[in-house]
Each structure stands twice: as C-alpha cells, then as structure tokens.
Amino acid sequence: MPETSLPSLEKNPDSVPPEEETRQCSTPVEPSETAGVVPPEEEMQRLRSLLLKSEIEKISDLERRLNDFATKAKEISDVLPEAILMRSGQDNVLNRALEPIVEHSFKASLKKNPNDFINAFFPLIGSTIRRSISESFNSMLNSFSKSLEYSFSLNGILWRLEALRTGKSFSEVVLLNTMVYRVNQIFLIHSETGLVLSHVVNEGVTSKDVDLVSGMLTAIQDFARDCFNNEDENSSLNSLKMDEYTIYIVRSPLAYIACMVEGTPPGDFLDRLHENLELILAECGGLLYDFNGDSAPFEAANKYLRDCLVQKFKDDQKPTSIWMKRMVVGAGVLILLLFFAQQYYFYRSNKAVDILLHEPGWLVINVTKYWGFRPWKIICFKDELARPPFQVFSENGYDSDIFNIQITRFVSYAPEIVKQRAIKRIMPPEEVKISFAEGTLFLSGIADMSWILDARQIALTTPGVNSVDVSGIHDPRAAELTNLIRSIETAVIRFQAGSDMPIPSDRPALDKAINDLVSLERMVSHMGLAVNLTIYGQADATGSDKRNYDISQLRARMIASRLFARQVNIPTAIYGIGADLTHGKTEERENPDRRKIDLRVHLVKVAEADYLLPLKKQEGNVDNNTTVSPNKQ
C-alpha cells in the first residue's frame, strides 16, 4: 500500500479522487509504517484551516473588535444618538440614569467656572430682571405718591379712620377709594389642554394656584356650553362678573387669554387684549402647535401679557378751599405736637420711675402706666428714714404730681439707710465718724468710754448691723484708766502668818492701791461708769482648812473696810479662798507669798452696778448686806 500524507495532497490535490483519499485516510496504519509521519492532530488543524479559513478569519476579526476599546468606542459612537432617541421614547429610565451624572457635572462646572455661566445667562435674563425691577419700583412709587397725596387731606383723615376700623393699611384704603379700574391677573391658557402657558400678576395682588384657576375656568366654560346646549365648538364664555370683579376671556383656536379686572375698564380694553393675543400667536404659534406640556418656552409671552396690566385712578377735580387746607394742616400739626408731647411725657415718667428704683430705702412693686397725661400709679415700700418723694423728684427736676404713689412702710437694709438708722440711735458726737459696709458698723474718732460702750450695745440692736468695730475710736482718758487699773491689780499685799494685817514692807502698797481705787472711782463717775471690785483673800497651807478659810476672809474684809473708811462707793465682792496649796514641801506650805490678797477691777455702766450695795461700816465690822461668797477653792 503506497504511503499517503496530507502534504502530498497539498502538492497535487487532483492526483487522488476524494473517495480514494477518504479510503486511504481511514485505512489503519501499522506503527512500524508511521515512523516520520505527521501526527493526526496537526493534520486535523491543517484540514480546518483549508475548510474554515474564511470563518476563522471572521471570528478572529470579531474577537479583535470586541477586545479593542478604541474600535468598540467608535462603533458605539456611530449608533449612540439613535439609541438614546429610541430609548428616551420608550420610558424615563434613561433620564433617571443620566440625571445624577448631569447634575454632578453641572455643579462641578459651575463651581469651577461660575463666570462662564453668568456670561451665558446674562443676555437671557438680564433684560427680564431689569424690566421686573423697573415695574416693581414704578408701582411702589405710584402707591407711595397716592398715599402721600392724600395724607393731609380731609379724605385722607377719613380714610385713615377707615383703615383703623377695618384693619387694612392706609395705602390699601387709598387704592380702593381712588381706583377706577385695575387689571389684577392675566392668564395665557392652552385651548386644547386647558394648561396655563404664562401668568402675570399686578403689584400688590395675591396670586392663587394658577393650575386650579385654569381648571375652574375650563370647567365653567364647559358648564356654560352644556347648559345652553350649544354644540358649536367655537362658542365660548366671554366674561364672568362677581361684585366689582370681572373675568374677560379672549379666545383663539390655539390659546386664549383670561383677564381678571377690578372695576370697569375702558371700551378699548378688549381690543388691547385681542391685539396682544395676536402678537403672541405670531411669535409662539409654532410652539402652540407642537405643545407637549412644557410651558417654559412661553416665557416670551409675558411681555405681551404685562402690556395688558393697566390701571387707572380717579383724580379729584374739586378744588379744596384754602381754609380747609389750613384746617387740615393745622389738625395734622396739632396731632403731631400731641404725639410728641405724649412721647416726651412717657420718656420723663420712665426716667422718674428709674430714679425712684435706685433711691435707697425705696422698693417699687408695680407701676401702672396710662395713656395721655394722666398720673401713673406706683405701688411701693418706703423705709421711714428714706427721703420723701417730693425731695427725690425735685432734686432731679421732676414734679411728684405726675405720680399717684401708694406707700407701705418697711425696714430697708440698704447700706445708706442702715447707716442713717444707726446714727439716729447712737447719736454720735461731732468727733466721731461712722461708716457701714457688709453688715459692720465702723466707729472712729474720739469719745467718752461710756458713750463707746453705749453705742456698741445700741448699734448691735439696729436692724442690718451684724457687728460693730470700735478699734478706730478711743477715749483720751483710756490710757490713764488703764494705768490705774493695772496698778491696782498688780499691787502686792502680803500678810503676817495667822494675821489680817499686812507685813510692814507691803503697807505702802496697800495705801497706794486704796488711793488708786479712790481716784479710779472719781474718774469713772464723770464718765457714767461704775467700778466693781472683787477681793480674793488667800492663806498659806499651814493650819486647818477652816482656819485658813477664816483668815483669808478676814484679810479680804480688812481691805474692804479700809476702802469703806475712805467713803468710796464701790460695790465690792469678797471671796475667802483659804489655802491654795494643801500638799507640798514644808517651805512651800509656809511661803509668805501665799498669804496675800488679789484685787480685780471691772468697769460697768451705772445701771448695771445699781444692784451692788456699797459697803457700810458698822462697829468696825463689814455690814451683813455686803456681797460675800464663801466659796472655797
């Protein structure tokens, strides 16, 4: 069997019939015979390339186009406009998908280059803004001029009263009384759908929902056509009147104008509506034929509608007499004068009340203000030491008659009032200065000791005074008193053992102490004070307790007897202490320094010393009425 291979077919494809080729390829070949022969897979691949060459090239080309982004983008760009138009006509999915992208791009571009948008939109909206501002300003000037023209006339006064009675503004009342007619609103409405294409409103008119108004107009026209069984589609309602308001309707097959007028317009007003409707049809006719529900393109019709926003006011041709004008001007001036006088009265009254609020000793509870020049009513509290109202007001240039004051007494804790109350009670001499701060009364200067003691006690009972500081005040004789008291209390008077007589060396000290007590009593008697004396008799520790007590009491009585012999009226208290050392060493128990007396002086007011009776000498002994305390220490 001759050897066949796929390359031989490529060299001479016509040498073997197809049937023989198939038979030869299907004949099994022994392994020994296939040495050096091409594998079947490669032969199959060559066969595919011969049979499917064009299809393989197309598939490769298609794969290249799908993987190449530039080619893919070019092919999509060829069909993208048609695809967008086709998809947008089906539903709004594409619009919703592109909306956030477009919005984000617009905001980013506006933020990056705002001037580009201003330059692009200014030619479109600049003229509209200027015209709107100009019309608003002219309308405001007209309203203001009308109000100013009738402000000081008789009609103006009557109209002001009407404004107060009805709650309307004065300019609105003037407008209602001087207006002949006014076009309030104008609607441009699509005839077929009844949708509002454009809408303008006059200055000072409140606009309602335009779509609701349009629907009502359409319904009214349909109702009128049905009521009259009119099958003619061209017939329509031309006007509708309610009180002083009239709705005029000017119609065309594509659109109609509905105009709301207050008052009676002139006869040529309908002609003006027809002319402006024709101008609108001439400019926007194509938009009306292709109307798809979007009213934005009909903004251009506003200028024709605004041309119909006319109004007219009546002019009062009746001349006003010069006397009437003078009376009106005089009344106006009088009203202004009364107004300013009332304001000035209120101002001064408020200032006077403010002065009373800050006056020490006054506490304002309530102020009732009245219109006009009627006295105000004031309810307040007043301390008895506070200044009277006429004095408070007169010092500040006010008359107290402008108020009706109802006063209730109370105790004020204002520092100025507390100081006055303390001064009134203690009645300080001219040399004494008094100040008060934070609840403490400060006394400074020179005064008698008796007055200082009285002032301190009285001041502490004064409402508002918590403490009294007398460190800054002194009595010139205080140093002498202090020296006398110190000399008396430091006198050393010792006694012999078992005796009530002083030892010889201490008898001069006893005489000096008696003389000092006499001098002290005479000095303080001129100061309204009294001397209280306390005598403590002592003994050493020798002997019994009773003996020591008796001897210590005799020593104290001896001093009191010596003092009484000098006819000195000094209340004296006697204490026999006895021995103050009951245990100890012998030398301490017999110490002569323990056999002594101690004198203690106290200065008190005379009234406090009245209960202490003076010592009286009776048969050389102390009177039994002498105050004696037998306490043993």
Side-chain angles (χ1 to χ4, degrees):
M1 179 177 177
E3 182 180 353
T4 59
S5 64
L6 194 57
S8 62
L9 293 175
E10 292 177 356
K11 295 179 181 178
N12 191 7
D14 297 332
S15 60
V16 181
E19 295 83 0
E20 184 65 21
E21 181 182 0
T22 303
R23 183 183 62 81
Q24 292 177 0
C25 292
S26 60
T27 302
V29 180
E30 294 297 332
S32 59
E33 298 177 354
T34 59
V37 181
V38 179
E41 292 79 2
E42 186 176 350
E43 292 181 355
M44 184 62 67
Q45 182 65 26
R46 292 177 180 177
L47 181 61
R48 287 197 195 98
S49 62
L50 293 174
L51 298 178
L52 304 173
K53 183 178 180 180
S54 60
E55 285 78 4
I56 292 174
E57 292 178 355
K58 290 179 180 180
I59 292 174
S60 299
D61 182 62
L62 183 60
E63 184 178 2
R64 179 183 57 79
R65 290 167 57 190
L66 291 176
N67 295 329
D68 188 2
F69 289 99
T71 305
K72 188 189 300 184
K74 181 178 182 305
E75 293 176 352
I76 293 175
S77 65
D78 294 336
V79 298
L80 182 61
E82 290 78 6
I84 292 176
L85 290 175
M86 184 181 300
R87 184 62 181 178
S88 61
Q90 295 178 2
D91 49 39
N92 294 326
V93 176
L94 183 62
N95 295 337
R96 291 196 299 268
L98 294 177
E99 181 178 354
I101 300 174
V102 175
E103 182 179 356
H104 178 74
S105 301
F106 182 80
K107 289 181 179 179
S109 179
L110 180 61
K111 185 177 180 180
K112 183 178 180 181
N113 298 311
N115 293 329
D116 295 343
F117 287 89
I118 294 175
N119 296 332
F121 285 107
F122 181 77
L124 301 177
I125 63 175
S127 59
T128 303
I129 294 175
R130 286 194 300 272
R131 183 167 61 254
S132 176
I133 294 175
S134 177
E135 291 176 355
S136 300
F137 186 71
N138 291 334
S139 176
M140 181 190 68
L141 288 179
N142 291 334
S143 177
F144 177 75
S145 62
K146 285 293 180 183
S147 300
L148 187 62
E149 180 181 354
Y150 290 98
S151 293
F152 300 102
S153 64
L154 179 60
N155 289 333
I157 297 176
L158 296 177
W159 292 343
R160 285 192 180 276
L161 295 177
E162 182 181 353
L164 293 175
R165 179 177 56 84
T166 59
K168 299 180 180 178
S169 63
F170 176 68
S171 59
E172 185 178 358
V173 174
V174 171
L175 185 65
L176 293 176
N177 286 277
T178 59
M179 183 180 62
V180 177
Y181 68 90
R182 181 179 65 175
V183 179
N184 291 340
Q185 302 182 65
I186 300 179
F187 298 85
L188 177 63
I189 302 174
H190 192 254
S191 298
E192 182 178 354
T193 61
L195 297 177
V196 177
L197 303 178
S198 183
H199 173 233
V200 293
V201 184
N202 208 334
E203 182 72 21
V205 177
T206 303
S207 176
K208 304 295 183 181
D209 188 355
V210 294
D211 294 329
L212 180 62
V213 174
S214 173
M216 293 175 62
L217 286 175
T218 303
I220 291 173
Q221 294 181 79
D222 294 340
F223 173 76
R225 189 182 297 109
D226 295 339
C227 286
F228 293 103
N229 294 323
N230 194 341
E231 301 296 336
D232 187 5
E233 296 182 355
N234 295 325
S235 61
S236 63
L237 188 65
N238 295 325
S239 63
L240 179 64
K241 186 172 181 62
M242 183 181 66
D243 293 338
E244 71 273 14
Y245 297 95
T246 306
I247 299 178
Y248 294 97
I249 300 175
V250 178
R251 178 178 291 277
S252 73
L254 297 177
Y256 66 90
I257 292 178
C259 180
M260 298 183 181
V261 182
E262 183 178 359
T264 304
D268 60 346
F269 178 68
L270 292 178
D271 295 336
R272 172 178 287 192
L273 291 179
H274 282 287
E275 292 176 359
N276 283 280
L277 179 59
E278 292 173 358
L279 294 175
I280 292 173
L281 294 175
E283 183 171 344
C284 305
L287 297 174
L288 292 171
Y289 278 111
D290 300 332
F291 180 66
N292 58 356
D294 184 12
S295 60
F298 294 93
E299 292 292 334
N302 286 352
K303 59 183 179 180
Y304 301 108
L305 298 181
R306 292 188 182 279
D307 183 62
C308 300
L309 287 179
V310 294
Q311 58 186 5
K312 183 178 181 182
F313 299 92
K314 58 184 178 182
D315 297 328
D316 191 2
Q317 301 296 333
K318 183 179 179 180
T320 305
S321 64
I322 186 64
W323 291 106
M324 181 61 69
K325 293 181 179 179
R326 290 178 179 177
M327 289 177 61
V328 171
V329 173
V333 173
L334 180 61
I335 292 174
L336 289 177
L337 290 177
L338 290 175
F339 174 76
F340 285 114
Q342 174 66 46
Q343 295 300 316
Y344 181 70
Y345 179 81
F346 264 65
Y347 170 76
R348 285 184 57 83
S349 299
N350 285 324
K351 293 289 289 184
V353 171
D354 187 64
I355 292 173
L356 198 61
L357 286 171
H358 294 83
E359 178 68 19
W362 285 83
L363 182 61
V364 178
I365 303 301
N366 184 44
V367 178
T368 304
K369 302 179 181 180
Y370 298 102
W371 180 259
F373 301 96
R374 180 181 173 184
W376 291 3
K377 181 179 179 181
I378 300 179
I379 301 176
C380 58
F381 291 101
K382 176 183 176 298
D383 191 276
E384 62 178 357
L385 298 178
R387 296 191 300 171
F390 70 88
Q391 182 180 357
V392 176
F393 292 135
S394 61
E395 289 185 358
N396 293 276
Y398 295 96
D399 188 1
S400 60
D401 295 338
I402 62 177
F403 298 115
N404 179 15
I405 304 177
Q406 295 183 2
I407 298 176
T408 302
R409 298 296 180 184
F410 87 119
V411 177
S412 174
Y413 282 78
E416 297 85 349
I417 300 300
V418 174
K419 178 181 176 181
Q420 293 182 29
R421 187 180 296 116
I423 292 175
K424 183 179 180 181
R425 290 192 173 189
I426 65 178
M427 293 182 295
E430 295 181 356
E431 295 81 4
V432 176
K433 305 297 182 182
I434 297 179
S435 60
F436 180 78
E438 298 181 355
T440 301
L441 189 69
F442 297 91
L443 304 179
S444 60
I446 300 175
D448 292 339
M449 184 64 64
S450 60
W451 182 90
I452 296 174
L453 296 176
D454 284 342
R456 185 177 184 278
Q457 294 178 357
I458 295 173
L460 287 174
T461 63
T462 303
V465 177
N466 299 327
S467 61
V468 180
D469 187 349
V470 296
S471 60
I473 190 170
H474 65 280
D475 187 339
R477 295 170 295 181
E480 185 178 356
L481 288 173
T482 303
N483 292 332
L484 284 174
I485 294 173
R486 184 183 298 110
S487 176
I488 293 169
E489 292 184 344
T490 59
V492 178
I493 304 173
R494 293 170 294 180
F495 292 83
Q496 298 176 3
S499 174
D500 61 348
M501 297 301 294
I503 61 177
S505 61
D506 289 345
R507 288 177 183 177
L510 173 61
D511 295 336
K512 185 176 185 305
I514 297 299
N515 293 331
D516 289 342
L517 284 170
V518 173
S519 300
L520 179 64
E521 192 274 336
R522 292 175 180 175
M523 182 180 295
V524 299
S525 63
H526 299 288
M527 302 169 59
L529 300 175
V531 179
N532 284 347
L533 177 64
T534 303
I535 305 175
Y536 298 96
Q538 301 183 34
D540 57 18
T542 61
S544 64
D545 291 342
K546 184 177 183 306
R547 176 60 180 167
N548 290 333
Y549 168 72
D550 292 339
I551 194 64
S552 65
Q553 191 175 40
L554 288 174
R555 290 167 180 169
R557 286 178 180 273
M558 186 276 298
I559 300 298
S561 298
R562 295 284 298 272
L563 186 63
F564 185 76
R566 297 288 298 272
Q567 297 182 353
V568 178
N569 189 16
I570 298 178
T572 305
I574 299 173
Y575 293 91
I577 297 177
D580 62 351
L581 182 61
T582 58
H583 301 285
K585 298 179 181 180
T586 303
E587 59 270 16
E588 287 295 330
R589 296 169 61 89
E590 298 179 358
N591 188 350
D593 291 338
R594 301 294 181 184
R595 301 188 298 269
K596 65 177 181 176
I597 61 170
D598 288 329
L599 303 177
R600 296 292 180 262
V601 177
H602 303 280
L603 298 181
V604 296
K605 296 293 295 181
V606 174
E608 298 177 1
D610 286 344
Y611 73 96
L612 296 175
L613 298 177
L615 294 176
K616 295 181 180 179
K617 187 175 181 181
Q618 185 178 9
E619 296 180 357
N621 296 324
V622 179
D623 193 346
N624 292 331
N625 292 329
T626 303
T627 302
V628 177
S629 177
N631 293 336
K632 179 181 178 182
Q633 299 180 1

